[in-house]
Amino acid sequence: MRAGPSQEEIRRHNLGALLRHVHLSGPTSRAELTSRMGLNRSTIMALTADLTAAGLVREELPRETGRAGRPSLVVRPESARVYVFALDVGVDRLVAARVGLGGTILDRRETVRRRGTFSLDEIVGPLAAFARQMHRKTRADTVCVGVAAAFSGGVARGDGVVRFGPNMGAVDVPFADEMARRLAFGLPVMVGNDANLAALAEHTRGVGVGCRDLVYLHGDVGIGGGVIVNGQLLGGHGGFGGEVGHMVVNPKGRSCGCGSLGCLEAEVGERALLESAGLFGSGVGRDAVRAVVDAADRGDIGAQAALSRVGDWLGLGVANLVNIFNPEMVVFGGMLREIYLGSAAQVRSRLAVDALPTCRDNLRLRTSALGDDATLVGAAELAFAQVLADPIEVLARAGS
Ligand SMILES: [Zn+2]
C-alpha cells in the first residue's frame, strides 16, 4: 500500500499552485487566493511568505479598494526579477524574447529567416546571439529559470529532436542539445511543436481561457494544430499527436510536403491559396496571403474564388475534427486567421452539411487572441513549467 502524500509534498504542490495563479491572473489579493485555492487564510499566508522569501512574488497594499476596513494584501509576481527565454523558430522568422514571470515580454529580438535549404547553424546562431544580448542587459539580481522553443516541425517527446519539418526541410535535427550548447546558460532547452504550444497559449492566456475542450489550427506555410482535451494537450504516444494539417481531405488532391496527397495543408496552406488565386511565384508569406484576402474584399473575382475553394476544404477539415473531438471552440491562428476571416461563410456552410448537429451546436469559431505572438507565448509557458511545478527547488538551482 502506498502512503498518501507527505506534508512536504502537499506544501510543494500548493506553492506551485499559488504561483501559477498569480503567473496567469496577475496581481491577486490574499482573500481571492484563499477562496480560489480552497485553502485557509493562514496557509495562504505561509505559502506567500515562502514565495516572497525566495523572491518569486512580492506583497503590497492594493491601490484603492473603496471599501472600509483593512485591505487584503495583493500578491504580485516578481516579473522583472524571475524570467525565461522564449524562442520561436518559424519558416519565415526567428524570434527570441525575455519573458518575466506573469507573462510580461521584457525584451525581444526578431529576424527574417530565408526559405531554402535547412541549416541548423543559421537558426541556432542568431537565436543564441539574441539571447546573449538580452542576457547581458539584465541586472545582477535577476534569475533565468528556463529556456524553451517553439519549432515549426514534429518534435519527439523528451529529447527535443525535431523529427520532421517538411516546410523547413528539417529531418532529425538535434535542436535542443545544440541550442543549449550554444547558449551555455547551464540550462536545458525544452522544445515543442509550434502549433501545439500556440494551442496551449490560447488556452491559458488567449481566446480559449476557461475552455476545457478546444481545437486550435495554426497556419504558417503549412498547417499545424493542437487539441486540448479536458484541459490537457493531446500529445499521442510519441508526442506527435495533433498533426491536423496532414489529415487527408481530398485523396486525389494536391501533393503535400509529407509525401501524401490532399492533406488539409496541401489544400488550404499558403501555396494552395496563392496558386488558386493565380499569384504563386509573385511573393510568399503573410503579406502575400493578406493581399489575396484584401483583393477578395475589394471584389476581385479570382481572389474570391480562391478563398471560397480553400474555405471549402478548411470547412471539411474542421467538420471532421469537430465530429471527432466535440470541442467547445475552434480557434484559427497564424496565417489561418486571415484565411478564415476571408472564407468564414464557406467554412460555416461546410460545417452545416458535414458536422454532426450534436457536435456543431454550441460550437464557437474564433480567431487567435494572441496573434503572431501565440507560438512565442506558448514557448514561454513551456519554459515556466518547471518553476511552476516546484518553485523553491527550481529557483534554488537556477540561482546557485
Ligand atoms: Zn501531408
Side-chain angles (χ1 to χ4, degrees):
M1 199 177 86
R2 191 188 181 280
S6 69
Q7 286 298 314
E8 179 57 19
E9 282 167 337
I10 293 169
R11 177 177 155 273
R12 283 187 178 201
H13 170 83
N14 286 339
L15 284 167
L18 198 159
L19 191 63
R20 179 176 292 276
H21 270 290
V22 295
H23 172 65
L24 292 177
S25 309
T28 310
S29 73
R30 271 197 209 166
E32 179 73 25
L33 287 166
T34 304
S35 77
R36 275 207 241 165
M37 292 179 63
L39 297 169
N40 63 42
R41 283 177 53 203
S42 59
T43 306
I44 293 290
M45 218 166 94
L47 293 170
T48 308
D50 284 353
L51 292 173
T52 304
L56 286 157
V57 302
R58 86 189 117 92
E59 290 187 282
E60 51 192 38
L61 283 166
R63 287 199 183 92
E64 270 300 323
T65 61
R67 275 188 246 149
R70 201 160 58 114
S72 176
L73 286 172
V74 167
V75 184
R76 177 185 287 273
E78 282 281 16
S79 301
R81 181 172 181 271
V82 180
Y83 69 92
V84 297
F85 280 111
L87 312 170
D88 185 15
V89 182
V91 176
D92 291 326
R93 66 170 198 171
L94 302 172
V95 190
R98 199 165 72 81
V99 182
L101 191 63
T104 317
I105 295 180
L106 302 167
D107 199 354
R108 72 181 283 162
R109 305 276 192 282
E110 179 169 343
T111 187
V112 171
R113 176 183 177 268
R114 275 182 302 116
R115 293 188 190 180
T117 48
F118 181 84
S119 152
L120 181 57
D121 199 52
E122 282 174 19
I123 288 171
V124 171
L127 289 175
F130 284 160
R132 277 197 303 270
Q133 282 169 19
M134 290 188 276
H135 189 244
R136 275 198 296 274
K137 284 174 62 187
T138 58
R139 295 193 322 247
D141 66 338
T142 58
V143 52
C144 178
V145 293
V147 185
F151 201 107
S152 176
V155 183
R157 192 199 303 278
D159 65 3
V161 172
V162 179
R163 294 287 176 213
F164 61 92
N167 296 306
M168 302 272 292
V171 181
D172 291 339
V173 177
F175 174 77
D177 286 351
E178 184 58 17
M179 195 72 232
R181 194 182 68 79
R182 292 283 282 272
L183 283 173
F185 288 165
L187 288 168
V189 174
M190 321 278 287
V191 189
N193 167 263
D194 60 346
N196 277 189
L197 293 178
L200 280 175
E202 291 292 345
H203 174 62
T204 49
R205 293 190 179 276
V207 69
V209 169
C211 272
R212 303 290 297 167
D213 296 277
L214 175 157
V215 171
Y216 173 84
L217 293 167
H218 186 80
D220 189 1
V221 176
I223 292 175
V227 180
I228 309 268
V229 177
N230 197 22
Q232 299 290 321
L233 182 73
L234 193 75
H237 178 59
F240 304 112
E243 281 288 354
V244 297
H246 299 286
M247 167 172 55
V248 176
V249 290
N250 182 14
K252 295 199 172 90
R254 307 158 59 90
S255 61
C256 183
C258 73
S260 185
L261 289 178
C263 294
L264 184 67
E265 160 169 327
E267 300 297 346
V268 178
E270 178 190 302
R271 182 171 185 147
L273 179 73
L274 296 179
E275 281 186 354
S276 298
L279 290 171
F280 191 72
S282 56
V284 291
R286 289 295 275 285
D287 290 345
V289 169
R290 248 176 227 135
V292 175
V293 177
D294 289 348
D297 279 345
R298 289 195 307 271
D300 182 303
I301 306 232
Q304 285 174 345
L307 271 170
S308 164
R309 180 191 176 281
V310 161
D312 205 39
W313 292 120
L314 181 59
L316 180 60
V318 172
N320 282 327
L321 293 167
V322 163
N323 287 345
I324 297 168
F325 297 108
N326 183 206
E328 181 181 345
M329 183 185 286
V330 174
V331 182
F332 300 92
M335 180 248 327
L336 268 188
R337 181 179 180 281
E338 274 81 21
I339 291 185
Y340 170 70
L341 290 173
S343 66
Q346 208 68 31
V347 172
R348 285 186 182 281
S349 62
R350 259 298 186 181
L351 277 172
V353 174
D354 294 321
L356 295 168
T358 45
C359 293
R360 81 173 177 248
D361 291 347
N362 306 316
L363 172 71
R364 289 182 287 164
L365 302 179
R366 292 284 184 276
T367 54
S368 157
L370 301 169
D372 288 346
D373 276 345
T375 45
L376 188 73
V377 170
E381 292 308 314
L382 178 61
F384 278 119
Q386 282 195 305
V387 76
L388 296 177
D390 195 355
I392 308 286
E393 171 66 25
V394 169
L395 198 73
R397 237 186 294 144
S400 63

